[in-house]
């Protein structure tokens, strides 16, 4: 939102809505700079607002994609999609969630169009929009419920071979619970084989798995 950090006093009073300035965003992300520049490193922002953090993460990832793959249209396109797949957000207010999706898509599409030029496809743009609908959700990260009262469910996207993608859906509650258990085990058994075995046992359980699908046809899942 530029330098505007408060939209209205009423929204601050009702929802504690205050936007983070770009300088603070970049300073915080620089603390994990290597991860922000890893294309497949996943980020979840539990109160994403209009996407101040997520948009900057996407810019950093896309800069890496461009630097590595701009001379190969096929590689650039699928890794640009992978960068988008790795970004997740939960937002309490629907208008903010939609703004976040739009902001992320604008950044992605501007870069995609500039690099791909005549080879840019509407099919790939449809995939990008579809991923954002699945990755940026309206809900409460504290209760882990969506606005309609159902559990927050995120799709995990994995680029397997060529342009094929594997999708598994997980509830946020399951992901966080398993992540906490793994952290506890890692602390106790950091260097032991027993610890590694136990960590493998607590992988999260998907509520649904999908067949391998070409990344350009992901929107046809539903």
């Amino acid at each position: 939102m530029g330098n505007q950090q408060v939209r209205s006093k009423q929204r601050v009073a009702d929802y504690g809505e205050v936007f983070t300035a770009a300088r603070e965003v970049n300073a915080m992300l620089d603390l994990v700079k290597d991860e922000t520049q890893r294309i497949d490193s996943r980020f979840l922002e539990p109160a994403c607002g209009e996407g101040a953090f997520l948009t900057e993460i996407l810019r950093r990832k896309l800069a890496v994609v461009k630097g590595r793959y701009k001379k190969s249209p096929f590689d650039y396109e699928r890794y640009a999609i992978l960068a988008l797949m790795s970004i997740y957000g939960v937002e309490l207010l629907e208008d903010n969630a939609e703004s976040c999706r739009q902001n992320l898509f604008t950044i992605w599409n501007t870069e995609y169009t500039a690099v791909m030029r005549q080879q840019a496809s509407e099919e790939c743009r449809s995939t990008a929009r579809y991923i954002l609908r699945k990755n940026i959700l309206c809900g409460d990260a504290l209760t882990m419920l969506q606005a309609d009262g159902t559990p927050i469910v995120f799709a995990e996207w994995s680029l397997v071979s060529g342009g094929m993608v594997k999708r598994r859906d997980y509830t946020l509650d399951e992901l966080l619970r398993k992540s906490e258990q793994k952290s506890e085990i890692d602390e106790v058994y950091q260097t032991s084989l027993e610890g590694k075995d136990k960590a493998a046992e607590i992988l999260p359980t998907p509520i649904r798995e999908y067949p391998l699908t070409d990344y350009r046809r992901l929107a046809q899942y539903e």
Side-chain angles (χ1 to χ4, degrees):
M1 290 189 65
N3 293 324
Q4 186 179 354
Q5 292 179 261
V6 174
R7 180 178 294 170
S8 75
K9 292 181 179 180
Q10 190 60 50
R11 287 170 71 108
V12 173
D14 291 344
Y15 306 109
E17 180 187 64
V18 177
F19 295 90
T20 309
R23 184 175 63 180
E24 282 73 24
V25 167
N26 279 289
M28 294 174 71
L29 291 178
D30 282 345
L31 297 174
V32 289
K33 186 175 182 179
D34 289 346
E35 287 299 307
T36 65
Q37 295 177 336
R38 190 157 66 84
I39 299 170
D40 62 349
S41 182
R42 295 187 178 97
F43 284 83
L44 167 63
E45 172 57 52
C48 65
E50 293 184 340
F53 284 94
L54 299 183
T55 52
E56 179 56 31
I57 291 168
L58 181 60
R59 286 191 185 96
R60 295 181 183 207
K61 287 173 174 283
L62 290 177
V64 174
V65 175
K66 182 179 179 179
R68 292 179 184 173
Y69 304 111
K70 63 182 177 182
K71 294 182 179 179
S72 171
F74 171 68
D75 286 332
Y76 174 83
E77 187 173 80
R78 65 196 180 107
Y79 280 107
I81 285 292
L82 181 61
L84 203 59
M85 287 174 169
S86 70
I87 292 173
Y88 298 85
V90 180
E91 169 54 36
L92 188 62
L93 302 176
E94 179 56 49
D95 61 340
N96 283 345
E98 182 56 30
S99 292
C100 183
R101 296 183 197 106
Q102 291 297 329
N103 291 337
L104 287 165
F105 179 77
T106 297
I107 290 167
W108 182 89
N109 188 49
T110 298
E111 188 69 18
Y112 171 72
T113 303
V115 173
M116 294 292 287
R117 300 183 182 181
Q118 292 86 356
Q119 292 177 285
S121 74
E122 285 304 317
E123 194 174 37
C124 189
R125 291 187 178 105
S126 294
T127 291
R129 292 188 183 96
Y130 178 75
I131 290 167
L132 288 169
R133 290 199 301 272
K134 297 300 179 183
N135 284 23
I136 308 298
L137 301 179
C138 183
D140 188 336
L142 294 177
T143 63
M144 289 180 278
L145 299 176
Q146 297 187 77
D148 61 5
T150 60
I152 292 173
V153 175
F154 279 121
E156 177 197 68
W157 317 92
S158 301
L159 194 61
V160 181
S161 61
M164 303 302 285
V165 171
K166 179 67 177 179
R167 172 182 168 185
R168 298 180 178 90
D169 287 357
Y170 299 89
T171 63
L172 179 59
D173 176 57
E174 173 77 354
L175 287 174
L176 294 180
R177 185 169 61 84
K178 295 295 187 180
S179 178
E180 289 175 359
Q181 290 177 354
K182 185 177 185 303
S183 295
E184 291 172 0
I185 288 176
D186 286 346
E187 288 178 7
V188 177
Y189 301 102
Q190 190 169 7
T191 60
S192 70
L193 291 176
E194 182 183 359
K196 294 178 181 178
D197 291 340
K198 286 182 178 294
E201 292 174 2
I202 59 169
L203 292 174
T205 304
I207 61 172
R208 185 175 180 184
E209 294 194 46
Y210 295 78
L212 284 174
T213 304
D214 188 285
Y215 72 92
R216 288 158 292 201
R217 298 180 177 85
L218 287 182
Q220 297 175 16
Y221 270 144
E222 299 173 3

